[in-house]
Amino acid sequence: AGAAWSSTDNISVFKPGAGTYVFTITGETYVDDGGYTTVATLVGSTGFIFTEDDGAGGLRIKTFDATGVAMDRAFTFTVYKK
């Protein structure tokens, strides 16, 4: 978990804990209400996923199992800039 299978060359990921991934997009300051829309989907499992800004310009994605416990899960996401 925590490895990117495919991405553009302007993104990096940091995994600070179970089910938490923080992405930095070079040249962008990601803010929830700052003109970005993110679509994130779990792959092949039940559970929950949500996105938010990390307060420092990065995108944080958190994944959980079906009972709400933070857990590493496979997922995809796309960020759209308005």
Side-chain angles (χ1 to χ4, degrees):
W5 291 337
S6 178
S7 72
T8 60
D9 60 1
N10 68 330
I11 194 165
S12 61
V13 62
F14 168 66
K15 191 171 174 323
T20 302
Y21 308 83
V22 178
F23 295 88
T24 301
I25 305 168
T26 303
E28 300 292 335
T29 301
Y30 186 93
V31 180
D32 284 338
D33 60 355
Y36 299 92
T37 299
T38 301
V39 177
T41 305
L42 290 176
V43 175
S45 60
T46 58
F48 306 96
I49 187 168
F50 76 85
T51 66
E52 63 184 355
D53 67 63
D54 71 347
L59 163 64
R60 181 172 28 237
I61 297 178
K62 291 189 170 188
T63 58
F64 303 87
D65 70 10
T67 66
V69 175
M71 183 176 285
D72 297 341
R73 310 297 271 212
F75 62 91
T76 64
F77 75 97
T78 303
V79 176
Y80 298 93
K81 185 174 181 179
K82 297 178 186 174

